[in-house]
Amino acid sequence: RPLTADQIILENPEKGLDINSKLDKLEAKARKQNSLTVAFNIGFSRIKSISDPDQKTDTLYKLVREAKQNQDHYNVMRGMIALGELATKGQILLTLQDKNELIKIYHYLYNEGFYTQFNKCHDILWHIFSADKEIHNLLQLYRYSSLSWRLRGKEEREMSSLKRLNAEIKKSPTIKGSSDISTAYFYACLGLLL
Protein backbone atom coordinates (compact mmCIF):
# COMPACT_ATOMS: atom_id res chain seq x y z
CA ARG A 1 0.00 0.00 0.00
CA PRO A 2 1.39 3.47 -0.86
CA LEU A 3 2.75 5.62 1.95
CA THR A 4 0.26 8.41 1.23
CA ALA A 5 -2.63 5.99 1.78
CA ASP A 6 -1.11 4.97 5.10
CA GLN A 7 -0.88 8.63 6.07
CA ILE A 8 -4.54 9.27 5.26
CA ILE A 9 -5.63 6.22 7.22
CA LEU A 10 -3.58 7.29 10.23
CA GLU A 11 -4.91 10.85 10.12
CA ASN A 12 -8.47 9.51 10.36
CA PRO A 13 -8.02 7.06 13.22
CA GLU A 14 -10.43 4.98 15.16
CA LYS A 15 -10.70 5.85 18.83
CA GLY A 16 -7.81 4.72 20.99
CA LEU A 17 -5.22 4.54 18.20
CA ASP A 18 -1.85 6.08 19.07
CA ILE A 19 -1.59 8.27 16.00
CA ASN A 20 1.63 10.14 16.86
CA SER A 21 3.86 7.09 17.24
CA LYS A 22 2.41 5.56 14.06
CA LEU A 23 2.94 8.81 12.16
CA ASP A 24 6.54 8.92 13.51
CA LYS A 25 7.14 5.45 12.10
CA LEU A 26 5.49 6.29 8.80
CA GLU A 27 7.49 9.51 8.46
CA ALA A 28 10.73 7.62 9.18
CA LYS A 29 9.75 5.00 6.59
CA ALA A 30 9.00 7.72 4.03
CA ARG A 31 12.37 9.37 4.62
CA LYS A 32 14.14 6.02 4.38
CA GLN A 33 12.45 5.40 1.01
CA ASN A 34 13.31 8.98 -0.04
CA SER A 35 9.59 9.81 -0.33
CA LEU A 36 10.14 13.35 0.86
CA THR A 37 6.77 14.66 -0.31
CA VAL A 38 5.02 12.17 1.96
CA ALA A 39 7.45 12.95 4.79
CA PHE A 40 6.78 16.70 4.45
CA ASN A 41 3.03 16.14 4.31
CA ILE A 42 3.19 14.11 7.50
CA GLY A 43 5.37 16.79 9.12
CA PHE A 44 2.90 19.53 8.23
CA SER A 45 -0.03 17.41 9.40
CA ARG A 46 1.64 16.81 12.74
CA ILE A 47 2.18 20.54 13.27
CA LYS A 48 -1.58 20.97 13.60
CA SER A 49 -1.54 18.85 16.77
CA ILE A 50 1.30 20.79 18.44
CA SER A 51 -0.09 23.30 20.93
CA ASP A 52 3.20 24.75 22.24
CA PRO A 53 4.14 27.73 20.00
CA ASP A 54 7.89 27.26 20.58
CA GLN A 55 7.76 23.58 19.61
CA LYS A 56 5.56 24.40 16.61
CA THR A 57 8.00 27.13 15.53
CA ASP A 58 11.04 24.87 15.91
CA THR A 59 9.33 22.13 13.91
CA LEU A 60 8.35 24.55 11.15
CA TYR A 61 11.87 26.01 10.88
CA LYS A 62 13.24 22.46 10.70
CA LEU A 63 10.84 21.61 7.86
CA VAL A 64 11.71 24.84 6.03
CA ARG A 65 15.46 24.17 6.36
CA GLU A 66 15.03 20.63 5.08
CA ALA A 67 12.83 21.79 2.20
CA LYS A 68 15.46 24.39 1.23
CA GLN A 69 18.19 21.74 1.31
CA ASN A 70 16.10 19.61 -1.05
CA GLN A 71 15.15 22.60 -3.25
CA ASP A 72 11.51 21.93 -2.46
CA HIS A 73 10.16 25.44 -3.01
CA TYR A 74 6.54 24.44 -2.43
CA ASN A 75 7.19 23.18 1.09
CA VAL A 76 9.42 26.17 1.86
CA MET A 77 6.40 28.27 0.93
CA ARG A 78 4.04 26.20 3.10
CA GLY A 79 6.38 26.42 6.07
CA MET A 80 7.04 30.13 5.77
CA ILE A 81 3.33 30.91 5.45
CA ALA A 82 2.64 28.79 8.54
CA LEU A 83 5.36 30.72 10.41
CA GLY A 84 3.88 33.99 9.17
CA GLU A 85 0.47 32.97 10.46
CA LEU A 86 2.00 32.30 13.89
CA ALA A 87 3.48 35.81 13.77
CA THR A 88 0.09 37.37 12.96
CA LYS A 89 -1.28 35.68 16.10
CA GLY A 90 1.54 37.17 18.17
CA GLN A 91 3.06 33.77 18.92
CA ILE A 92 6.46 34.45 17.33
CA LEU A 93 8.56 37.29 15.96
CA LEU A 94 9.82 36.96 12.42
CA THR A 95 13.38 37.79 11.50
CA LEU A 96 14.26 40.21 8.71
CA GLN A 97 15.30 37.16 6.67
CA ASP A 98 11.85 35.61 7.25
CA LYS A 99 10.15 38.82 6.10
CA ASN A 100 12.28 38.94 2.96
CA GLU A 101 11.50 35.29 2.27
CA LEU A 102 7.76 36.02 2.60
CA ILE A 103 8.08 38.92 0.15
CA LYS A 104 9.75 36.59 -2.36
CA ILE A 105 7.00 34.03 -1.80
CA TYR A 106 4.35 36.71 -2.35
CA HIS A 107 5.88 37.64 -5.71
CA TYR A 108 6.03 33.97 -6.70
CA LEU A 109 2.39 33.41 -5.71
CA TYR A 110 1.34 36.60 -7.51
CA ASN A 111 2.84 35.27 -10.73
CA GLU A 112 1.78 31.64 -10.37
CA GLY A 113 -1.80 32.02 -9.19
CA PHE A 114 -1.90 29.91 -6.01
CA TYR A 115 -4.72 32.10 -4.80
CA THR A 116 -5.40 30.62 -1.36
CA GLN A 117 -1.72 30.82 -0.44
CA PHE A 118 -1.49 34.24 -2.15
CA ASN A 119 -4.25 35.61 0.09
CA LYS A 120 -2.63 34.14 3.20
CA CYS A 121 0.73 35.64 2.25
CA HIS A 122 -0.94 39.01 1.54
CA ASP A 123 -2.53 38.97 5.01
CA ILE A 124 0.77 38.11 6.67
CA LEU A 125 2.66 40.87 4.85
CA TRP A 126 -0.15 43.33 5.61
CA HIS A 127 0.20 42.48 9.29
CA ILE A 128 3.99 42.94 9.16
CA PHE A 129 3.93 46.21 7.22
CA SER A 130 1.11 47.63 9.33
CA ALA A 131 2.85 46.74 12.60
CA ASP A 132 6.10 48.27 11.32
CA LYS A 133 4.24 51.34 9.98
CA GLU A 134 5.66 50.75 6.49
CA ILE A 135 3.06 52.72 4.56
CA HIS A 136 4.95 52.60 1.27
CA ASN A 137 5.10 48.79 1.45
CA LEU A 138 1.37 48.68 2.29
CA LEU A 139 0.69 50.82 -0.78
CA GLN A 140 2.71 48.51 -3.02
CA LEU A 141 1.13 45.42 -1.49
CA TYR A 142 -2.32 46.84 -2.05
CA ARG A 143 -1.52 47.79 -5.64
CA TYR A 144 -0.42 44.29 -6.65
CA SER A 145 -3.02 42.41 -4.63
CA SER A 146 -5.77 44.71 -5.89
CA LEU A 147 -4.92 43.92 -9.48
CA SER A 148 -4.91 40.19 -8.78
CA TRP A 149 -8.24 40.34 -6.97
CA ARG A 150 -9.81 42.50 -9.65
CA LEU A 151 -8.77 40.06 -12.37
CA ARG A 152 -10.34 37.20 -10.37
CA GLY A 153 -13.55 39.07 -9.62
CA LYS A 154 -12.77 39.49 -5.91
CA GLU A 155 -13.79 43.15 -5.70
CA GLU A 156 -15.10 42.76 -2.14
CA ARG A 157 -11.63 41.75 -0.96
CA GLU A 158 -10.13 44.64 -2.90
CA MET A 159 -12.55 47.17 -1.38
CA SER A 160 -12.04 45.80 2.12
CA SER A 161 -8.28 46.22 1.76
CA LEU A 162 -8.71 49.70 0.29
CA LYS A 163 -10.69 50.76 3.37
CA ARG A 164 -8.06 49.24 5.67
CA LEU A 165 -5.29 51.01 3.76
CA ASN A 166 -7.15 54.31 3.92
CA ALA A 167 -7.41 53.91 7.71
CA GLU A 168 -3.66 53.17 7.93
CA ILE A 169 -2.83 56.24 5.86
CA LYS A 170 -5.05 58.47 7.99
CA LYS A 171 -3.04 57.37 11.03
CA SER A 172 0.25 58.13 9.27
CA PRO A 173 0.20 61.09 6.89
CA THR A 174 3.65 60.29 5.50
CA ILE A 175 2.50 60.02 1.89
CA LYS A 176 1.39 63.63 1.48
CA GLY A 177 3.16 65.04 -1.53
CA SER A 178 4.25 61.58 -2.66
CA SER A 179 3.76 60.90 -6.35
CA ASP A 180 4.88 57.33 -6.98
CA ILE A 181 2.78 54.80 -8.86
CA SER A 182 1.51 52.96 -5.77
CA THR A 183 0.32 56.18 -4.14
CA ALA A 184 -1.35 57.35 -7.35
CA TYR A 185 -3.04 53.94 -7.70
CA PHE A 186 -4.33 54.16 -4.13
CA TYR A 187 -5.85 57.59 -4.70
CA ALA A 188 -7.37 56.51 -8.01
CA CYS A 189 -9.02 53.50 -6.33
CA LEU A 190 -10.10 55.61 -3.37
CA GLY A 191 -11.76 58.02 -5.81
CA LEU A 192 -13.82 55.13 -7.18
CA LEU A 193 -14.88 54.18 -3.64
CA LEU A 194 -16.12 57.68 -2.76
Side-chain angles (χ1 to χ4, degrees), residues 3-4 7 26-44 63 65-72 74-76 78:
L3 293 172
T4 305
Q7 176 191 355
L26 185 60
E27 185 176 1
K29 182 178 178 182
R31 289 182 187 290
K32 186 176 179 181
Q33 293 179 7
N34 205 28
S35 295
L36 293 179
T37 300
V38 174
F40 280 121
N41 286 340
I42 292 169
F44 282 109
L63 286 169
R65 275 192 308 276
E66 185 180 3
K68 283 181 180 180
Q69 289 169 352
N70 289 289
Q71 297 182 4
D72 183 345
Y74 178 75
N75 282 311
V76 170
R78 285 174 71 191

Side-chain angles (χ1 to χ4, degrees), residues 83-116:
L83 286 165
E85 289 176 328
L86 289 176
T88 64
K89 295 173 186 172
Q91 295 180 341
I92 65 168
L93 292 174
L94 296 174
T95 66
L96 181 59
Q97 183 179 349
D98 294 337
K99 292 175 187 179
N100 290 334
E101 186 78 32
L102 283 163
I103 291 169
K104 285 188 227 170
I105 289 168
Y106 174 85
H107 288 291
Y108 172 77
L109 294 169
Y110 176 83
N111 289 319
E112 296 301 319
F114 293 100
Y115 298 121
T116 300

Side-chain angles (χ1 to χ4, degrees), residues 18-186:
D18 180 17
I19 186 171
N20 287 327
S21 66
K22 293 197 181 229
L23 281 173
D24 283 343
K25 290 176 186 174
L26 185 60
E27 185 176 1
K29 182 178 178 182
R31 289 182 187 290
K32 186 176 179 181
Q33 293 179 7
N34 205 28
S35 295
L36 293 179
T37 300
V38 174
F40 280 121
N41 286 340
I42 292 169
F44 282 109
S45 291
R46 292 177 66 205
I47 286 171
K48 295 172 191 169
S49 67
I50 300 172
S51 58
D52 177 44
D54 292 333
Q55 184 183 358
K56 190 176 279 199
T57 301
D58 290 344
T59 304
L60 281 166
Y61 275 120
K62 180 182 169 224
L63 286 169
V64 167
R65 275 192 308 276
E66 185 180 3
K68 283 181 180 180
Q69 289 169 352
N70 289 289
Q71 297 182 4
D72 183 345
H73 305 292
Y74 178 75
N75 282 311
V76 170
M77 175 191 65
R78 285 174 71 191
M80 290 306 302
I81 287 175
L83 286 165
E85 289 176 328
L86 289 176
T88 64
K89 295 173 186 172
Q91 295 180 341
I92 65 168
L93 292 174
L94 296 174
T95 66
L96 181 59
Q97 183 179 349
D98 294 337
K99 292 175 187 179
N100 290 334
E101 186 78 32
L102 283 163
I103 291 169
K104 285 188 227 170
I105 289 168
Y106 174 85
H107 288 291
Y108 172 77
L109 294 169
Y110 176 83
N111 289 319
E112 296 301 319
F114 293 100
Y115 298 121
T116 300
Q117 297 288 38
F118 172 81
N119 287 334
K120 287 179 183 180
C121 196
H122 166 90
D123 293 342
I124 292 162
L125 290 174
W126 189 280
H127 174 82
I128 291 167
F129 297 152
S130 178
D132 293 344
K133 309 230 182 300
E134 296 180 25
I135 299 299
H136 185 71
N137 281 336
L138 283 171
L139 286 161
Q140 287 186 325
L141 181 65
Y142 173 75
R143 179 177 162 226
Y144 287 105
S145 295
S146 168
L147 178 61
S148 175
W149 293 326
R150 190 172 292 186
L151 291 172
R152 292 183 289 129
K154 302 293 182 188
E155 290 85 5
E156 69 285 346
R157 175 103 196 214
E158 178 188 14
M159 289 299 119
S160 172
S161 288
L162 178 61
K163 290 174 185 174
R164 286 174 56 205
L165 180 57
N166 192 33
E168 291 285 342
I169 288 172
K170 284 180 179 178
K171 290 189 281 185
S172 173
T174 58
I175 67 164
K176 287 184 178 173
S178 179
S179 62
D180 66 358
I181 293 171
S182 296
T183 304
Y185 183 82
F186 163 72

